[in-house]
Amino acid sequence: MSTLPAADLLRLADTARFARNSGRAQKALTELRRRFPDAPEAGTAGYMLGRIAFDLAADYDRAAHWFSTYLDEHPEGPLAKEALGRLMESQERAGRASEAQATARRYLARHPEGPHADLAHRLGAP
């Protein structure tokens, strides 16, 4: 794994994630972010770490951390809409209602018709 290029590490992580091998996926993603911090794949790796925490570990605080990290690093990135929605969902599931509501307002301001708009409205965003 230590010699694989960024794109191959991302593919390895994706394959491991689909196989529900979260440990191997996390290792590949963490290695990718460590070795290639400025590569576009590093942002995708951060997003994927959030998905693993959310989908496979039900660790919503950790998921929120990674979705927030992605948004900090790539506020206009290709996964920004999904990361913002997932951040809101993670915060809500982690019991962080005020943060989830603030994120819901932010989400609706940017993506009023987005896939997480219904959740944003349920959380009390106007």
Side-chain angles (χ1 to χ4, degrees):
M1 195 175 327
S2 65
T3 61
L4 292 176
D8 288 349
L9 284 168
L10 199 55
R11 277 192 287 279
L12 175 63
D14 218 20
T15 301
R17 187 171 62 90
F18 286 125
R20 303 191 71 76
N21 186 339
S22 61
R24 184 155 178 94
Q26 287 174 320
K27 185 175 181 180
L29 295 169
T30 302
E31 179 75 6
L32 190 159
R33 287 185 59 82
R34 183 186 66 79
R35 288 182 43 220
F36 305 101
D38 298 322
E41 292 91 350
T44 303
Y47 175 82
M48 287 178 64
L49 285 163
R51 289 287 309 265
I52 291 166
F54 189 98
D55 295 334
L56 300 181
D59 185 342
Y60 304 116
D61 282 317
R62 185 126 181 95
H65 163 79
W66 282 113
F67 294 134
S68 183
T69 297
Y70 177 85
L71 291 165
D72 289 344
E73 294 174 353
H74 306 281
E76 303 298 326
L79 298 170
K81 181 192 317 184
E82 186 64 23
L84 190 58
R86 288 294 196 135
L87 173 61
M88 174 179 50
E89 192 174 5
S90 299
Q91 291 166 331
E92 189 263 338
R93 289 196 185 191
R96 295 160 46 185
S98 63
E99 291 175 57
Q101 287 173 340
T103 303
R105 286 189 296 276
R106 185 175 156 203
Y107 184 87
L108 288 174
R110 296 191 69 146
H111 313 290
E113 303 296 323
H116 288 91
D118 287 345
L119 174 60
H121 287 297
R122 282 196 311 271
L123 290 173

